[in-house]
Amino acid sequence: MPLPPRLYATLTDAADPALEAALQAGLDGLLVPGGALPGGVDAVAGTLARIREAGREAVVEIDLERGLIDHVSADLLVERVRALVDRGATGVRLAGLERIAAERVHDIARLLRERLPELRLWAGPFGYARATAHGLAAVDALIASYGWWDYSAPWFAEEMAALAALKPVLVEVRPHQLRGADDPIGARRRVLGAVALGDAILPASVFADAALADQLAAMRAQPLPAGTRLRRLTDSEAPVTALLRSAEDVRTAENAALLLFNRRDTPEPVPAADLVLPALGSGFALPSLDPLGAGEVRVVPLARTAPIGFAPAEDAEAAADWPRLVIEAVAPAVSGGAFAVKRVVGETLAVSATIYADGHEQLAAEVQWRPLDESEWRSAPLTAQPNDLWTGAFPLERLGRHLFRIEAWLDRFGGFRRDFAKKLDAGVAQLVDHEEGKRLVREAAARADLGDWVARLDAPGADGAALLLDPALAARMAAADDRPHRLVSSEQLVDAERLEARFSSWYEIFPRSMSGDRSRHGRFEDVIAHLPRIRDMGFDTLYFPPIHPIGRANRKGPNNSLTPAPGDPGSPYAIGSEAGGHDAIHPELGSFEDFARLIAAARDHGLEIALDFAIQCSPDHPWLKAHPGWFAWRPDGSMKYAENPPKKYQDIVNVDFYGPDAVPGLWQALRDVVLLWVEQGVKTFRVDNPHTKPLPFWEWMIGDVRARHPEVIFLAEAFTRPAMMYRLAKIGFSQSYTYFTWRNTKQELTDYLEELTTEAPKEFYRPHFFVNTPDINPYFLQTSGRPGFRIRAVLAATLSGLFGVYSGFELCEAAPLPGKEEYLDSEKYELRPRDWAAPGNIVADITLLNGLRRAHPALQTHLNTRFLKVDNDAMLYYAKPEPQGGGMILVLVNLDPHAPQEGSFEVPLWEFDLPDHGSVAVEDLARGYRFDWHGKTQTIRLEPDEPYRIWRIAPQGGQA
């Protein structure tokens, strides 16, 4: 059981009125001033006698002031101390040490110990003369400088550690260090903190305060460690200072105490356990603690927790079968292999892994792959790179999903050849080295056909060294290798999709607006008439919002109003009427035969049709009557309409994926809807708000559809949290809408693209950069005029391989609903015929951009985007290196639609290993002329009316 800390009181003088209160406080002893030299012995005699009469230790303080000690011999000092002992003193405290030479102090202490061996001898505090404590072997205890500590500076813990390594330590509060009535909180903190730290010396006046005396008694009653080893747990800025106190090294101590000092005069929370416990460096548990009161000092006893034990899983014989090699960091990988890496069929997949083993053995490794519908693995060797990195590649030759894995083993013959060649070069190869190689060849010949290699090695006069190092033998040995200590990594899935999953230009229209007449609902045959115009702008995917029957219940009028006129068409997202649901076509658009003619005509124009897959129903949808168990009904039999606050969709109700009859019926019905449209020739689906539907449904449904039709592409329209957007991509969506719509500044665009191209999403997330949508009329476009549309077009078309436009963008439509990011007179609620040749359009820009995207593979992916330096924050400058490395596309954009911007920019000569004064051939792809750049730094000015430049550069001698 730890003993309570020893406690002493200091009298202000021999007549201190607090003497009696201190004697009644159960202290171990009192310190009496008045032992200053040369006199003072008789003045304290009565006080010493009273202390001894009360059974307490009586310690006299002697202040070794330099001005006096230099005139007093050590012998005279000893005699005066002896006189104090004769009058009842049991000990002497040597103070004022920082003003005395260390050698002098050591001499005095040694002489006192020799002459008065029973005397308790203390020394300190040392202040800035801490070195004096070293060599004071004669003293019994040292006194720390606690009274000057501000509870934050690190020096105090350092001093305590230094002194505790020499002698037992006391902490002291001098009477003048208490401000009393001026700072009662600080005074209480100073006094209680001294006792918390261990053996303490306090002013006798403290014990005249009954409340404070009771607090001291309670603190002394706690089971504190006997020692004063301290470890600092918090930094100097923390409002609560935490120290660990233990009697021995904390690594072995069974018990310790957490000391908490609230430095502030207001309540403060206890430091967080995850900050304190790691700093303890050992297994102590921290109980739940209430906040500290103003200036509170708290002692929290700590006991060591039992470590977690476990039984070894297997014995040494079994452990010998554990993998000797290590395969780590296999790349690419998505979530440790839980989801597919995404690529395009025809690409070569570069792979890498960290592979190593003990010792200096030579390793060999290969990548193995197979399509999911094949059982035989193909393989290609990996090449060793520095720092245990191995790299390789394999082709994705078929559309669909593949598996790959890494296999590695000890290459014993390869290791022999490596070392044998070194020995031959050094002239130290021995006969036994030749025999070692021959033995490996013979062992291989016993398990595989090596031809005549054994005979050739054993032939008289054969040049064994040359034969053993012959590459032809190495190839035969590799084929015959039994691959000792073979290790195979876990398998990683790769989804090789068609090119349009990574590179496509989308154009969105409402077919019902294609008649050109506001009074006549458009039909599929009207869309066919627009196909040449859409093709000529360079788009390859024509995307429709839902084409299904539209409900009449709660139908919306213009601008999302709740009061439609009789002829208003309603929102195509309110799917379902007496004419059918998701598996039907809105009668005013045409029939399935009409749709088939549209699909064929689009194909003839190099276009494919993408449909919107919106899992929502109007109250008139046939499913509500046929399958009420697929929906969530209120107790009164009504149904809550859909909401996406602050937006409300009174004309839509949602299915309940986990309703009483929903599994598996609803899930299968939705899957069958997709399969129906696939059979009609639709291979691409834009999915409306997939983040509001269950992830397990999407993973199952997309997997099921693509198992039957690997060519099908799903685009996620999920403007939501990044984690959800990324998860949707992982579970099967080929593409995703993005935050590009709201990334307008140089920093925003740079940060976002670097996230998509350099971090984990690069392996599975394909960003589709739509410049606008029927739901989103970006604020930037509302105020930027025609220059803003050109800026956003060039950014979307050149930053990502996936580029999307909602019709009207090319006409610079931007009239908003006041204060909202929505279109006035939105096409979602009314027919919207347009003049496609309206003045001020940017059709030429879009046509140019789509043409460049088709002509230059560098513009068909976002993954090669590299931002370059231009010294103007209103300008964005980036490179798109070509896949074959012959040249690169450079794009420089003025992001300010209202003012000209100019700046100096760097030509990336280093990419072609050219010096800063080198030259490159340049082609202006927008203007169609060629020239040369000389030197790394160039300047440019871009007007709002011509806000971008697109160049192709290549080394001179090549063709830009």
Side-chain angles (χ1 to χ4, degrees), residues 65 83 261 289 358 385 388 460 476 533 573 575 583 602 703 889 935 956:
E65 297 181 12
F261 302 84
L289 299 172
D358 57 277
Q385 309 292 347
D388 299 321
R476 297 294 289 267
R533 176 181 64 84
Y573 290 91
I575 299 171
D583 54 357
I889 306 297
Q956 287 185 326

Side-chain angles (χ1 to χ4, degrees), residues 388-437:
D388 299 321
L389 179 67
W390 291 70
T391 59
F394 66 92
L396 298 168
E397 298 173 329
R398 294 178 59 197
L399 181 70
R401 299 186 177 186
H402 300 65
L403 287 173
F404 82 87
R405 65 188 186 186
I406 304 298
E407 180 172 321
W409 61 94
L410 290 186
D411 182 7
R412 287 177 172 162
F413 189 69
F416 161 77
R417 294 179 75 245
R418 175 197 63 192
D419 297 339
F420 187 53
K422 291 178 181 179
K423 292 178 181 180
L424 289 173
D425 290 343
V428 296
Q430 304 295 316
L431 180 60
V432 68
D433 298 311
H434 291 73
E435 290 302 319
E436 179 184 354

Side-chain angles (χ1 to χ4, degrees), residues 733-745:
F733 281 91
S734 306
Q735 310 167 356
S736 177
Y737 282 69
T738 70
Y739 295 124
F740 167 78
T741 313
W742 299 277
R743 299 296 185 264
N744 299 312
T745 69

Side-chain angles (χ1 to χ4, degrees), residues 593-662:
E593 291 75 15
D594 297 329
F595 185 71
R597 283 191 290 272
L598 171 60
I599 291 285
R603 187 178 301 115
D604 291 342
H605 286 84
L607 293 160
E608 71 169 287
I609 301 299
L611 286 187
D612 203 318
F613 182 46
I615 303 179
Q616 51 214 29
C617 302
S618 84
D620 300 327
H621 198 292
W623 282 351
L624 273 81
K625 292 182 179 179
H627 304 286
W630 292 1
F631 298 86
W633 300 86
R634 288 174 167 174
D636 63 358
S638 65
M639 184 175 294
K640 184 179 180 181
Y641 59 76
E643 292 183 318
N644 183 17
K647 296 180 179 180
K648 296 182 179 181
Y649 306 98
Q650 294 89 343
D651 55 342
I652 292 173
V653 296
N654 287 323
V655 298
D656 182 357
F657 281 85
Y658 295 98
D661 300 325

Side-chain angles (χ1 to χ4, degrees), residues 499-515:
L499 177 62
E500 288 75 15
R502 181 186 48 120
F503 169 61
S504 185
S505 298
W506 285 42
Y507 187 70
E508 178 179 3
I509 65 169
F510 282 70
R512 69 189 188 184
S513 292
M514 293 298 106
S515 71

